[in-house]
Amino acid sequence: MKALFVEDSPADAALIREMLTGVRNASFELEHVNRLGAGLERLEAAEFDVVLLDLMLPDSRGLETFTRLQAHAPRVPVLIMSGLDDEEVAVEAVRAGAQDYLVKGQVDPSLLVRAIRYGVERKRTEQALKESNERFRTLFENATDGILVSDEQTKSFVMCNGTMCRMLGYSPEEMKNLVLADIHPEEDLHSAARRLEKPPGKKTSMLVDIPVRRKDGNVFYADIVLSSITLDGKTYSMGVFRDATDRIQAEDLQRELEAEKMVVEKLKRLDRIKNDFVETVTHELRTPMTPLRSSIEMFLDGTLGEITPRQREFLEMIARNVERLSRYATDMLSLSRLESGKHTLHPSHVTLLPIIRPVVELLRRNARKKNSSISLNVNSEMTAFADPDAVSEVLTNLLNNALAHTPQGTRVIVSSKLPREHCVEISVADSGPGIPKHAISKVFDKFYQAGRDSGPGYKGTGVGLAVCKALVEAMGGQISVKSRPGKGAVFAFTLPTTRLT
């Protein structure tokens, strides 16, 4: 790790260098300058992972030293190294963006290294969140549809994009002073309010032909995708508005002759809106997952210090839910892209065992947690013409499904065979309770959950098997399931061994 130490005391610089030199399991390359100006020049000329900064320098003093450096290199984490043990200054520095405030006489090698590692990782997390927010803001402001967020209780507007302001003729400041009643004609207000109430249990609903009143009093009709979002523990309604005036006029003019055609076009458009919405939201959901998972792992492995058993219990629970949410987001994104034709596969001639073994090894840890086992019985020379990432995703979903919906002590076997010429079959068999007969034909349907409508335990999302089916069929194979209640279930999918013509 490359560090820049801005310090005018040679003795302090030597001491910190000695501390970092003696650290085990870490390597630091420390560069020292004695003035802020020199430090800014080095940051301009080279890249550093972290800056250790004294606030009292010959050419700059106090918090201004930090603010000047941060303005010059905002992406580099900065740790204050001060001889002044002043809590007020320390709080101000951290609020201003410093990653930590260390008093020179109170620092030992372990504390220093831990502070540097924590500061670097936290800065990376902050930067990732900042970039995620900037991407969201760019998408939000540049969306072709109007987006309006309102308080579900007061119906007052709290946020809108530029398209929504232009659509209604209000400025952003004026929008914040409006409520639902202000943008609907008085004679249609009751009907509009009733239709804008989402059915119980539904997170998202699609509304069409809603009358909307502009600032100048003119009325137009809009299609609205209405959904609930939660920010800081409070629930809001988010409406995505699309001016439906042209569509309605076209339907009025050609309703009798073009009725069927207009219905088909409308469904296609709604499907595109749905896929774009799912893909956008899923992408924004996945963005912070990696730094969040990394931060949790740093707590669990002790990098950030010791934790109590109670803290470990909660962190492990958070980690499991983050992993489950990440898998769900990946499945939803894959399914959306497959359905919209945006998912591109890259099939090639591959040996299957090197693809299958890492997946099995990874999920064996989950199996051991519930006293279950996963056995691998795949021919080391078996090949297929397939996309390696897609095969890995299919197998991961099948194994997760087998482990999630079976009791403790379940045996799971991954095996292979050649059912016919130019075809290979991979199967995942478990010794669980099996699948009800009436559900066999529906298990690959999107959002279907066989026999899990009530009762305790993990319910799943009904997305994983639908993704498996779509991926396998996109590679030219087929997927099937065989099961008898009380006798376990066998999920099997085939892949071609040669390029399909």
Side-chain angles (χ1 to χ4, degrees):
M1 183 177 295
K2 192 173 181 180
L4 176 64
F5 190 16
V6 187
E7 166 65 63
D8 63 338
S9 169
D12 288 342
L15 179 61
I16 295 301
R17 186 182 298 277
E18 181 178 353
M19 285 184 181
L20 295 178
T21 301
V23 174
R24 292 182 298 175
N25 301 324
S27 176
F28 290 89
E29 179 183 346
L30 183 67
E31 183 172 341
H32 169 238
V33 295
N34 60 7
R35 280 173 168 73
L36 178 61
L40 299 182
E41 291 177 358
R42 289 303 300 139
L43 287 169
E44 185 73 28
E47 293 186 358
F48 291 89
D49 297 304
V50 66
V51 174
L52 308 178
L53 177 67
D54 184 10
L55 296 180
M56 309 302 289
L57 298 170
D59 57 344
S60 182
R61 304 181 71 80
L63 276 178
E64 181 186 356
T65 305
F66 167 72
T67 57
R68 288 175 59 189
L69 187 142
Q70 185 183 49
H72 192 83
R75 298 176 68 90
V76 180
V78 180
L79 278 71
I80 305 299
M81 300 287 296
S82 176
L84 182 63
D85 188 5
D86 189 325
E87 185 175 351
E88 183 176 344
V89 174
V91 171
E92 289 183 358
V94 172
R95 285 177 176 172
Q99 298 303 312
D100 210 335
Y101 184 100
L102 303 176
V103 180
K104 295 176 186 177
Q106 301 175 11
V107 176
D108 58 41
S110 176
L111 175 61
L112 178 59
V113 171
R114 186 163 61 247
I116 290 174
R117 285 174 171 167
Y118 177 74
V120 169
E121 189 59 37
R122 187 172 68 176
K123 187 68 175 181
R124 288 174 181 168
T125 302
E126 291 174 353
Q127 191 63 36
L129 289 173
K130 179 181 178 182
E131 291 172 357
S132 175
N133 288 335
E134 289 174 350
R135 283 193 295 270
F136 171 78
R137 175 58 60 180
T138 299
L139 289 169
F140 183 82
E141 286 299 334
N142 292 284
T144 57
D145 294 332
I147 302 176
L148 183 61
V149 180
S150 64
D151 188 309
E152 282 205 343
Q153 298 298 320
T154 66
K155 307 303 181 185
S156 60
F157 303 150
V158 297
M159 185 188 305
C160 66
N161 67 350
T163 303
M164 193 76 240
C165 290
R166 291 189 294 273
M167 192 179 289
L168 296 176
Y170 291 99
S171 69
E173 291 72 23
E174 289 174 322
M175 288 292 295
K176 293 179 181 179
N177 296 319
L178 302 181
V179 295
L180 179 67
D182 295 318
I183 66 167
H184 294 290
E186 185 174 347
E187 62 273 15
D188 295 311
L189 180 59
H190 178 73
S191 174
R194 180 172 49 81
R195 293 185 64 190
L196 287 169
E197 290 291 337
K198 295 184 300 298
K202 289 193 67 176
K203 292 292 185 181
T204 303
S205 57
M206 178 68 195
L207 308 173
V208 296
D209 300 348
I210 300 295
V212 180
R213 183 176 59 198
R214 294 188 174 96
K215 181 180 180 180
D216 60 11
N218 289 325
V219 175
F220 70 98
Y221 288 84
D223 294 340
I224 305 174
V225 176
L226 191 66
S227 59
S228 293
I229 59 175
T230 301
L231 300 173
D232 297 328
K234 190 172 183 179
T235 302
Y236 298 86
S237 292
M238 183 175 73
V240 180
F241 287 68
R242 173 165 293 185
D243 190 335
T245 302
D246 293 340
R247 176 183 59 77
I248 293 173
Q249 290 176 346
E251 289 177 350
D252 289 340
L253 292 172
Q254 303 183 29
R255 186 176 303 275
E256 293 184 3
L257 297 176
E258 300 289 332
E260 185 175 349
K261 179 180 178 181
M262 292 303 297
V263 169
V264 172
E265 290 300 319
K266 180 180 177 181
L267 290 175
K268 286 183 178 179
R269 189 176 72 254
L270 296 182
D271 195 53
R272 285 195 299 270
I273 293 173
K274 179 208 67 176
N275 288 332
D276 290 345
F277 180 80
V278 169
E279 185 167 342
T280 299
V281 173
T282 305
H283 176 74
E284 291 303 321
L285 186 64
R286 294 177 65 194
T287 298
M289 285 297 125
T290 298
L292 180 58
R293 188 185 295 113
S294 177
S295 298
I296 294 171
E297 290 174 354
M298 291 181 68
F299 277 105
L300 290 174
D301 65 17
T303 300
L304 302 181
E306 295 184 1
I307 57 177
T308 66
R310 183 65 169 168
Q311 291 170 332
R312 177 173 295 278
E313 179 183 353
F314 277 95
L315 284 168
E316 288 176 345
M317 179 182 66
I318 294 171
R320 289 193 299 272
N321 281 281
V322 167
E323 185 61 30
R324 183 167 63 87
L325 184 60
S326 179
R327 286 200 308 270
Y328 177 67
T330 298
D331 285 344
M332 287 298 298
L333 187 60
S334 295
L335 190 59
S336 176
R337 288 179 173 175
L338 283 164
E339 289 180 340
S340 62
K342 296 179 181 178
H343 197 297
T344 303
L345 297 179
H346 302 282
S348 60
H349 290 284
V350 295
T351 302
L352 291 173
L353 186 58
I355 300 172
I356 296 173
R357 182 184 284 118
V359 176
V360 171
E361 293 298 330
L362 180 63
L363 292 178
R364 273 176 174 160
R365 288 181 290 181
N366 295 343
R368 284 193 289 268
K369 292 178 182 178
K370 55 186 301 184
N371 199 30
S372 297
S373 65
I374 303 178
S375 300
L376 181 60
N377 184 22
V378 174
N379 190 313
S380 61
E381 297 181 357
M382 188 165 286
T383 63
F385 188 79
D387 183 309
D389 292 336
V391 174
S392 179
E393 185 172 352
V394 170
L395 188 60
T396 298
N397 275 334
L398 292 179
L399 286 173
N400 273 322
N401 190 69
L403 293 173
H405 300 303
T406 55
Q408 292 195 4
T410 296
R411 299 185 308 277
V412 180
I413 302 174
V414 180
S415 57
S416 64
K417 68 178 182 179
L418 296 172
R420 58 184 181 275
E421 190 177 5
H422 305 307
C423 178
V424 60
E425 180 181 284
I426 305 298
S427 63
V428 175
D430 65 67
S431 60
I435 302 171
K437 184 176 180 180
H438 71 271
I440 293 292
S441 62
K442 302 177 183 178
V443 293
F444 297 106
D445 292 349
K446 187 167 52 176
F447 304 124
Y448 182 76
Q449 298 173 322
R452 298 181 175 89
D453 297 327
S454 62
Y458 176 71
K459 300 296 186 295
T461 61
V463 176
L465 292 179
V467 171
C468 291
K469 184 175 186 293
L471 286 173
V472 170
E473 291 179 351
M475 290 186 288
Q478 295 179 326
I479 190 167
S480 61
V481 59
K482 295 179 181 179
S483 178
R484 286 190 300 165
K487 300 295 183 179
V490 179
F491 285 85
F493 63 96
T494 62
L495 296 170
T497 57
T498 58
R499 183 190 298 270
L500 297 177
T501 56

